[in-house]
């Protein structure tokens, strides 16, 4: 963010305890002096043009507001096609959408503080009098707690905030005596019965007259609510408590937030979409930044700003780290599963996530904000409006557009942060599209289908509450305002709450000392006190350099410009590097990648990601070559995804004291012996090679000869490791993942690919073990020295393992029934992967590789989970180049260096307990219940995805 450091705090420090919290931040409402000025000749919009557009916004608002007042008031909303008011019960039900309507003149209340922002103080004074005189909050009607809070309670509090400001100025509202606040308090008490749950999470609906669970309430039987529904209360409820001195509202809102935080998925730090209000169990386990969760994240950060409680910032930072780790796939934001965050939950995005770039601006993370915003703008330019949902290849998924304001909100924040006139042009486009496609004689009508331009008889209250507010502020200068907007914070409905509430009626303990927070190694989190020099280079072209590669992301076209042969600089013309030719072991190729702005990132789950930052390229021509290279990688990845996927293999420890009872799920290789064609498998004692990475000639061949070699992943290609140990006389090889803690329990298996050359010379079997499974073998070596294993396509029963061999007496004498059970378990094991592969294969026909081309930050990621094929835009890859950990590893064809997604279904494991002192080894084997639970979770996840698609 292009912000000055807040008074009393240095960059990298937290501010004082909110004597005047984040005054200069004010959630992006910055003074013109704090914004980076556009350079001369950078296409700056003239003051006259800005004023003309500002006046146009005022005229558009008048058109919408006057038609509501003339044709709809006192109804909740205007129906602009039929020029009448929408009264609940008199119109056909629209389902949950109607829960926002409570026969309380919703649009008028939601518009109150917009009138003041747009300098319509006389109209505001008249509107307040109408609300006080006409609005009844004691209606026998069931409403959404969430919508009533943000629209009505927020509208009353926002109206009260600007009313007392105007009264203090001495010209308007001199008669005002807190009437709107009294109504807000009355409404607050009507919402409190919804919180009568053991968890503290509110019921999703409440009857304004009878509360919940009352015989006449017609509500109170619900069990689930959305995360945003329960987590978007703190600003309004805390403001009500601070204004009135009644602490109960803030207490209830804090309790709900605390409960959600405690129920987050601890390994991923993500939250699901819906939660059981009684048990706290996640009902929908997908997670994103769009519908159902969006404003929960927003309110954590803004609660820190308004209330000065460090715990809210710590929670936000923890969640933000998880969002950027799992959900953010620049420029996309894709939902994932909270328990398996590397698995995408859907192949489309909803329009509500358009608020997120604005929140990132407030956070101070401006690059991804620019990238996602630009991607959204390209979608808008293609369809005139942002569809309610669109796919990862930017096709319409849900065609409606109810005139949502989130994109305008992010546009406003980005302009305030960058001062880039580009965002004024974006705002101008929004104005033109609204007038051209949505304007009707009686207001503005929502789009029923953005593809056809058909209308819906609907003009939601948020259109007046937010859209015109953000558009007017985008073009307004400070002198155009009658008050200092920086003294206020925006709620999620764009209502204004004064920052001085932070020091008023503080009756709540600020710190939740019982909660532990994750220590995050991210200097981004030090940006609590924004500093221009740290967050935003003194370069007015900075934002443009990030946007430029995304200009054609939707149309998937990459204009070429002049050829490299015409480039006059450099060492002479060179053809661009092709993805199919890329070799990570070739230093020249790595240098070309660097010149094209392509970097390689090793992910913690073992995957490797290729990312292209156009701004890091040596020239615009190199940036274009980088985009083309990434595009080819994605296409190559898509092709590789369609290649035959090998099922998982088994590593069975057969020596004392295991005797075949420990079976480890292993990833296969696309080269070497095919264990499925050698039913006996390969059996031998294991030996650790030197050097451990296996990337050069083995120095202890005498220890490896006629044994199965153990080696560490990384530093070179898998095929190179195989050749080195085969030359040393090994009869097989096991590559152990070097990512500490990785496990087949939680991560999908890899297939080890070749090196792009002929691998027929490799004849020994090679298998891949994650770190946890590999350590079981290494620990066994340390304790028992001689450890024998069997490499096979599936686990063998003990009769097969010890056929013709000396078998310990206690195994021979073991209970026959137990032996038969073991054998049945082993037999069923052969069928389990096949039965599970069917849904995986059917999903594989999905949109893998439907990856946007181009991009400010082009990214190709190998997703090794076959189940994710239909639900991810990330390219699943088997890089026929190298081991993912080589210095030149890439991710799409260089994509998933040396690793491709394998079948992630683990082999059924024998967990019969040995009656020996070494029985603790069996505890390290994944129990069948756990395996089945994982399968059930995946099945449940895909059933939920199918519902979402429908």
């Amino acid at each position: 963010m292009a912000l000055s450091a807040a008074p009393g705090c240095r960059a990298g420090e937290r501010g004082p305890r909110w004597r005047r919290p984040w005054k200069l931040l004010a959630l992006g409402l910055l003074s013109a002096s704090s914004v980076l000025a556009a350079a001369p000749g950078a296409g700056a919009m003239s003051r006259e043009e800005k004023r003309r557009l500002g006046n146009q916004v005022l005229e558009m608002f008048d058109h919408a507001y006057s038609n509501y007042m003339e044709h709809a008031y006192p109804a909740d909303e205007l129906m602009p096609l039929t020029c009448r008011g929408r009264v609940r019960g008199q119109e056909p039900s629209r389902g949950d959408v109607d829960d926002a309507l409570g026969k309380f003149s919703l649009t008028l209340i939601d518009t109150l503080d917009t009138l003041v922002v747009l300098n319509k103080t006389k109209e505001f004074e008249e509107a307040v009098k109408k609300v006080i005189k006409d609005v009844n909050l004691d209606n026998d009607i069931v409403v959404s707690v969430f919508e009533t809070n943000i629209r009505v309670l927020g509208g009353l509090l926002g109206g009260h905030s600007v009313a007392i400001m105007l009264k203090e100025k001495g010209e308007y509202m001199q008669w005002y005596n807190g009437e709107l606040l009294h109504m807000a308090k009355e409404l607050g008490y009507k919402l409190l019965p919804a919180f009568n749950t053991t968890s503290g999470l509110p019921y999703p609906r409440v009857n304004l007259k009878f509360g919940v669970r009352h015989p006449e309430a017609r509500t109170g039987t619900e069990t689930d609510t959305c995360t945003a529904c329960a987590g978007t209360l703190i600003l309004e409820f805390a403001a009500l408590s601070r204004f009135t001195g009644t602490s109960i509202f803030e207490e209830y809102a804090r309790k709900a937030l605390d409960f959600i935080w405690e129920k987050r998925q601890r390994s991923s730090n993500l939250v699901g979409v819906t939660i059981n209000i009684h048990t706290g169990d996640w009902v929908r386990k997908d997670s994103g930044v769009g519908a159902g969760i969006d404003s929960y994240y927003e309110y954590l950060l803004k609660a820190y700003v308004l209330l000065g409680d460090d715990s809210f910032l710590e929670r936000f930072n923890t969640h933000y780290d998880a969002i950027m780790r799992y959900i953010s796939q620049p420029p996309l934001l894709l939902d994932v599963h909270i328990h398996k965050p590397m698995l995408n939950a859907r192949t489309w995005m909803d329009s509500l996530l358009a608020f997120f770039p604005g929140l990132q601006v407030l956070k101070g993370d401006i690059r991804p904000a620019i990238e996602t915003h630009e991607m959204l703008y390209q979608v808008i330019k293609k369809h005139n409006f942002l569809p309610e949902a669109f796919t990862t290849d930017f096709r319409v998924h849900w065609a409606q557009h109810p005139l949502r304001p989130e994109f305008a909100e992010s546009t406003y924040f980005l302009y305030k942060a960058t001062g880039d006139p580009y965002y004024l042009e974006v705002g101008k486009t929004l104005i033109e599209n609204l007038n051209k496609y949505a304007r009707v004689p009686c207001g503005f009508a929502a789009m029923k289908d953005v593809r056809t331009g058909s209308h819906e008889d609907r003009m939601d209250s948020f259109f007046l509450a937010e859209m015109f507010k953000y558009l007017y502020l985008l073009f307004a200068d400070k002198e155009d305002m009658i008050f200092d907007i920086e003294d206020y914070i925006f709620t999620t409905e764009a209502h204004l709450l004064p920052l001085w509430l932070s020091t008023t009626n503080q009756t709540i303990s600020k710190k939740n000392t019982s909660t532990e927070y994750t220590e995050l190694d991210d200097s981004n989190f030090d940006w609590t006190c924004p500093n221009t020099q740290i967050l935003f280079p003194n370069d007015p072209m900075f934002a443009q350099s990030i946007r430029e590669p995304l200009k054609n992301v939707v149309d998937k076209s990459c204009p070429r410009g002049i050829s490299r042969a015409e480039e006059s600089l450099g060492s002479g013309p060179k053809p661009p590097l092709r993805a199919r030719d890329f070799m990570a072991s070739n230093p020249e190729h790595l240098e070309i990648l660097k010149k094209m702005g392509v970097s390689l990132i090793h992910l913690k789950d073992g995957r490797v990601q290729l990312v292209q930052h156009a701004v890091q390229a040596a020239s615009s021509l190199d940036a274009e070559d980088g985009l083309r290279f990434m595009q080819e990688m994605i296409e190559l990845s898509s092709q590789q995804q369609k290649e035959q996927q090998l099922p998982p293999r088994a590593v069975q420890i057969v020596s004392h004291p295991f005797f075949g009872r420990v079976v480890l799920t292993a990833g296969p290789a696309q080269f070497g012996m095919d264990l499925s064609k050698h039913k006996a498998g390969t059996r031998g004692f294991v030996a650790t090679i030197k050097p451990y990475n296996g990337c050069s000639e083995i120095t202890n061949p005498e220890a490896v000869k006629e044994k199965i070699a153990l080696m560490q992943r990384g530093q070179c290609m898998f095929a190179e490791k195989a050749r080195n140990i085969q030359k040393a006389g090994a009869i097989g090889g096991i590559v152990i993942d070097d990512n500490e803690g990785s496990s087949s329990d939680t991560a999908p298996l890899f297939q080890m690919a070749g090196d792009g050359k002929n691998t027929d010379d490799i004849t020994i079997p090679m298998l891949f073990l994650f770190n946890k499974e590999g350590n079981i073998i290494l620990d066994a070596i340390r304790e028992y020295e001689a450890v024998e294993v069997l490499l096979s396509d599936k686990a063998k029963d003990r009769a097969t393992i010890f056929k013709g061999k000396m078998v310990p007496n206690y195994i021979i004498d073991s209970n026959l029934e137990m032996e038969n059970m073991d054998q049945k378990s082993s037999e069923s094991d052969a069928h389990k992967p096949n039965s599970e592969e069917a849904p995986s294969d059917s999903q594989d026909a999905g949109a893998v590789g439907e990856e946007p081309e181009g991009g400010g930050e082009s990214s190709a990621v190998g997703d090794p989970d076959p189940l994710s094929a239909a639900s991810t835009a990330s390219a699943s890859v088997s890089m026929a180049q190298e081991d993912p950990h080589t210095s030149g590893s890439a991710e799409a064809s260089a994509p998933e260096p040396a690793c491709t997604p394998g079948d992630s279904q683990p082999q059924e494991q024998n967990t019969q307990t040995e009656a020996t002192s070494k029985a603790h080894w069996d505890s390290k084997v994944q129990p069948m219940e756990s395996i089945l639970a994982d399968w059930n979770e995946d099945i449940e996840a895909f059933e939920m995805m199918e519902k979402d698609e429908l």
Side-chain angles (χ1 to χ4, degrees):
M1 294 170 59
L3 310 176
S4 305
C9 99
R10 299 185 297 275
E13 292 182 353
R14 290 200 175 117
R17 285 252 177 202
W18 302 100
R19 291 186 296 275
R20 194 171 186 187
W22 246 356
K23 165 74 164 71
L24 289 186
L25 179 56
L27 289 181
L29 307 182
L30 312 178
S31 65
S33 62
S34 67
V35 178
L36 187 66
M45 184 177 286
S46 68
R47 184 178 179 84
E48 292 72 23
E49 177 69 359
K50 285 179 63 179
R51 181 153 294 178
R52 183 188 70 80
L53 290 169
N55 289 333
Q56 191 171 0
V57 173
L58 293 176
E59 185 278 329
M60 294 166 66
F61 172 83
D62 288 340
H63 178 66
Y65 180 70
S66 62
N67 273 286
Y68 165 74
M69 295 304 296
E70 180 181 350
H71 298 293
Y73 181 81
D76 284 317
E77 290 180 345
L78 169 68
M79 299 173 68
L81 299 183
T82 54
C83 299
R84 57 196 173 97
R86 182 180 296 279
V87 179
R88 193 168 172 186
Q90 296 180 12
E91 303 294 335
S93 173
R94 300 176 298 169
D96 292 348
V97 175
D98 283 340
D99 287 344
L101 311 179
K103 298 182 179 178
F104 36 35
S105 302
L106 174 63
T107 297
L108 183 61
I109 293 177
D110 219 2
T111 308
L112 289 176
D113 54 5
T114 303
L115 289 165
V116 178
V117 171
L118 273 56
N119 299 334
K120 296 181 178 295
T121 48
K122 290 182 180 179
E123 291 89 338
F124 171 73
E125 193 157 5
E126 294 171 2
V128 172
K129 290 177 180 178
K130 284 182 179 294
V131 169
I132 296 171
K133 175 177 175 288
D134 299 338
V135 172
N136 177 26
L137 298 174
D138 194 38
N139 299 315
D140 178 12
I141 191 166
V142 176
V143 296
S144 162
V145 173
F146 167 75
E147 296 290 356
T148 304
N149 172 66
I150 65 171
R151 299 202 207 187
V152 186
L153 182 58
L156 292 171
L157 292 171
H160 172 70
S161 298
V162 293
I164 58 177
M165 176 272 296
L166 290 173
K167 182 177 182 179
E168 188 176 311
K169 287 181 177 291
E171 185 176 354
Y172 296 98
M173 304 298 293
Q174 296 306 299
W175 55 270
Y176 181 71
N177 195 30
E179 290 84 355
L180 293 179
L181 181 59
H182 298 320
M183 294 180 67
K185 188 173 182 180
E186 177 189 355
L187 181 59
Y189 277 120
K190 288 185 175 295
L191 295 178
L192 285 185
F195 292 82
N196 187 20
T197 61
T198 55
S199 66
L201 298 178
Y203 284 96
R205 298 174 185 85
V206 66
N207 187 298
L208 291 177
K209 190 177 186 70
F210 298 108
V212 296
R213 295 194 295 189
H214 187 279
E216 298 177 82
R218 307 185 304 282
T219 188
T221 59
E222 303 95 337
T223 59
D224 307 334
T225 192
C226 73
T227 300
C229 299
T232 311
L233 301 161
I234 186 64
L235 291 188
E236 292 84 0
F237 272 48
L240 183 57
S241 287
R242 302 297 176 95
F243 272 130
T244 64
T246 306
S247 63
I248 188 171
F249 304 109
E250 185 172 345
E251 290 170 359
Y252 274 57
R254 281 179 177 266
K255 184 178 179 182
L257 272 181
D258 291 345
F259 190 82
I260 294 174
W261 170 252
E262 292 300 328
K263 291 298 179 179
R264 74 193 185 281
Q265 215 290 328
R266 296 304 177 100
S267 62
S268 66
N269 281 320
L270 295 172
V271 293
V273 174
T274 56
I275 187 171
N276 187 296
I277 60 177
H278 303 297
T279 66
D281 295 331
W282 291 109
V283 179
R284 278 190 55 185
K285 299 176 183 178
D286 45 321
S287 183
V289 296
I293 303 179
D294 48 2
S295 49
Y296 162 69
Y297 295 132
E298 176 186 1
Y299 269 37
L300 284 178
L301 181 57
K302 291 184 177 180
Y304 169 59
V305 175
L306 183 64
L307 306 178
D309 187 335
D310 289 347
S311 67
F312 291 129
L313 179 62
E314 289 165 342
R315 294 178 192 184
F316 174 79
N317 282 341
T318 301
H319 285 314
Y320 188 78
D321 175 73
I323 290 168
M324 300 310 290
R325 188 184 305 271
Y326 303 119
I327 295 170
S328 175
Q329 300 177 35
L332 309 179
L333 292 163
L334 294 176
D335 285 19
V336 300
H337 296 289
I338 58 175
H339 61 292
K340 292 185 178 179
M342 303 310 297
L343 176 63
N344 286 341
R346 60 176 56 150
T347 58
W348 49 271
M349 295 165 281
D350 67 75
S351 62
L352 284 172
L353 62 74
F355 92 102
F356 197 67
L359 189 64
Q360 289 181 303
V361 170
L362 309 185
K363 164 67 180 156
D365 200 2
I366 197 156
R367 176 182 289 274
I370 293 172
E371 291 172 335
T372 299
H373 179 274
E374 182 61 25
M375 177 270 292
L376 295 171
Y377 185 44
Q378 296 303 318
V379 174
I380 288 173
K381 288 203 292 186
K382 182 175 182 178
H383 300 295
N384 299 321
F385 298 97
L386 199 59
E388 276 291 78
F390 54 94
T391 62
T392 53
D393 58 343
F394 309 109
R395 289 174 292 132
V396 172
H397 186 67
W398 295 335
Q400 307 96 319
H401 173 73
L403 307 182
R404 293 198 184 278
E406 285 77 16
F407 182 77
E409 174 186 0
S410 289
T411 302
Y412 165 64
F413 285 163
L414 275 167
Y415 176 64
K416 287 300 181 181
T418 66
D420 190 332
Y422 176 82
Y423 296 108
L424 297 177
E425 296 296 333
V426 173
K428 181 179 179 180
T429 300
L430 297 182
I431 291 172
E432 291 173 347
N433 287 351
L434 284 171
N435 279 321
K436 186 174 182 180
Y437 302 109
R439 187 164 182 150
V440 294
C442 285
F444 290 84
M447 306 304 296
K448 187 174 183 178
D449 192 320
V450 297
R451 295 165 297 190
T452 63
S454 59
H455 288 125
E456 187 176 356
D457 200 3
R458 170 182 180 184
M459 190 179 80
D460 290 82
S461 68
F462 54 68
F463 183 60
L464 287 163
E466 300 183 68
M467 180 68 82
F468 294 115
K469 195 176 291 175
Y470 288 126
L471 288 178
Y472 181 76
L473 288 170
L474 177 64
F475 297 105
D477 291 324
K478 191 169 185 178
E479 53 269 27
D480 297 327
M481 304 292 296
I482 62 173
F483 66 100
D484 190 351
I485 197 75
E486 293 182 15
D487 288 334
Y488 296 83
I489 182 176
F490 279 147
T491 68
T492 194
E493 191 77 3
H495 292 307
L496 300 176
L497 298 177
L499 291 174
W500 54 258
L501 288 175
S502 61
T503 58
T504 303
N505 293 321
Q506 299 182 42
T507 58
I508 307 296
S509 173
K510 283 188 177 181
K511 186 71 173 179
N512 181 359
T513 56
S514 65
T515 303
E516 294 182 0
Y517 297 92
T518 306
E519 288 295 327
L520 300 169
D521 181 19
D522 188 343
S523 59
N524 187 28
F525 297 154
D526 296 336
W527 299 348
T528 304
C529 289
N531 182 289
T532 304
Q533 297 306 314
I534 293 177
L535 301 184
F536 200 79
N538 188 22
D539 177 9
M541 300 300 289
F542 176 73
Q544 180 180 340
S545 66
I546 298 173
R547 288 192 306 266
E548 196 61 34
L550 292 162
K551 291 295 185 185
N552 303 294
V553 67
V554 171
D555 294 328
K556 293 192 172 182
S557 59
C558 292
R560 175 61 180 145
I562 63 172
S563 67
R564 295 186 67 91
E566 297 169 346
E567 189 176 6
S568 58
L569 300 177
S571 56
K574 292 183 179 180
L577 178 64
R578 306 300 300 272
R580 64 173 180 266
D581 300 328
F582 174 67
M583 292 290 293
S585 57
N586 187 327
E588 184 179 354
H589 288 186
L590 298 180
E591 189 60 34
I592 294 174
L593 281 191
K594 183 178 179 181
K595 191 175 182 182
M596 294 190 301
V598 179
S599 57
L600 296 92
I601 301 173
H602 297 283
L603 304 178
K604 289 189 176 181
D605 68 340
R607 300 186 302 159
V608 175
Q609 186 177 27
L610 269 177
V611 179
Q612 198 237 6
H613 293 285
V615 293
Q616 297 177 2
S619 69
S620 60
L621 296 174
D622 291 300
E624 287 184 16
D625 285 340
L627 288 176
R628 230 178 325 276
F629 175 81
M630 294 296 293
Q631 180 180 334
E632 289 181 1
M633 275 298 184
I634 292 167
E635 292 171 355
L636 187 58
S637 299
S638 178
Q639 294 172 7
Q640 292 171 345
Q641 174 65 23
K642 296 174 184 176
E643 294 176 358
Q644 181 181 6
Q645 298 297 317
L646 302 176
R649 306 304 189 199
V651 175
Q652 200 165 2
I653 306 180
V654 299
S655 56
H656 171 82
F658 312 100
F659 301 113
R661 298 186 186 280
V662 174
V663 182
L664 307 174
T665 303
Q670 294 181 345
F671 53 86
M673 178 190 293
D674 184 353
L675 290 171
S676 66
K677 298 178 181 178
H678 295 76
K679 296 300 181 182
T682 297
R683 178 171 176 164
F685 288 91
V686 296
T688 304
I689 63 173
K690 297 179 181 178
Y692 190 30
N693 60 31
C695 293
S696 58
E697 185 176 350
I698 307 304
T699 59
N700 60 336
E702 68 289 342
V704 176
K705 189 174 182 181
E706 298 301 323
K707 293 183 180 179
I708 295 174
L710 299 178
M711 68 212 79
Q712 188 178 49
R713 180 185 184 185
Q715 307 303 315
C716 65
M717 294 169 282
F718 288 117
E720 185 177 348
K721 297 176 189 287
R723 291 188 177 99
N724 287 334
I725 63 169
Q726 181 173 282
K727 183 178 179 181
I731 60 173
I734 298 175
V735 179
I736 298 175
D737 192 11
D738 62 343
N739 288 291
E740 190 66 33
S742 65
S743 168
S744 63
D745 293 347
T746 56
L749 286 181
F750 287 118
Q751 288 189 61
M752 296 185 290
D755 56 1
K757 304 175 183 177
N758 191 314
T759 55
D760 291 345
D761 59 314
I762 303 175
T763 59
I764 61 174
M766 292 287 290
L767 296 181
F768 176 87
L769 289 178
F770 281 107
N771 187 264
K772 179 182 175 183
E773 287 78 9
N775 280 336
I776 291 176
I777 295 180
L778 296 176
D779 290 344
I781 292 174
R782 283 190 283 270
E783 190 158 353
Y784 303 105
E785 295 186 3
V787 175
E788 189 179 15
V789 301
L790 173 65
L791 311 184
S792 60
D793 62 331
K794 58 179 180 287
K796 309 297 183 186
D797 61 78
R798 290 199 298 277
T800 302
I801 294 173
F802 294 106
K803 185 176 181 180
K805 293 182 178 288
M806 184 67 67
V807 185
N809 289 333
Y810 66 85
I811 290 184
I812 297 176
D813 298 335
S814 63
N815 183 281
L816 182 59
E817 182 181 354
M818 207 60 152
E819 184 70 38
N820 289 338
M821 289 175 61
D822 244 8
Q823 188 166 347
K824 290 178 182 178
S825 173
S826 181
E827 289 171 356
S828 67
D829 175 60
H831 301 290
K832 178 63 73 174
N834 292 334
S835 65
E836 291 296 330
E837 279 173 14
S840 175
D841 292 342
S842 65
Q843 295 289 351
D844 227 25
V848 175
E850 302 266 352
E851 195 65 38
E853 298 178 9
E857 182 180 59
S858 301
S859 174
V861 175
D863 190 336
D865 194 331
L867 293 177
S868 67
S871 61
T872 177
S874 298
S876 293
V877 253
S878 84
M879 161 161 149
Q881 305 294 344
E882 56 179 333
D883 180 356
H885 285 234
T886 83
S887 60
S889 60
E891 176 135 342
S893 185
E896 171 74 54
C899 284
T900 54
D903 189 330
S904 65
Q905 305 303 329
Q907 298 288 323
E908 179 175 331
Q909 300 178 29
N910 185 338
T911 57
Q912 178 180 345
T913 306
E914 286 282 17
T916 73
S917 61
K918 305 304 179 185
H920 69 281
W921 284 104
D922 288 316
S923 66
K924 295 192 177 184
V925 184
Q926 186 181 12
M928 177 56 91
E929 291 80 2
S930 175
I931 296 173
L932 291 174
D934 280 348
W935 285 340
N936 287 334
E937 279 185 336
D938 285 334
I939 292 170
E940 177 187 340
F942 279 98
E943 286 176 347
M944 184 62 68
M945 284 165 52
E946 288 175 0
K947 288 182 182 179
D948 289 344
E949 292 291 348
L950 291 174

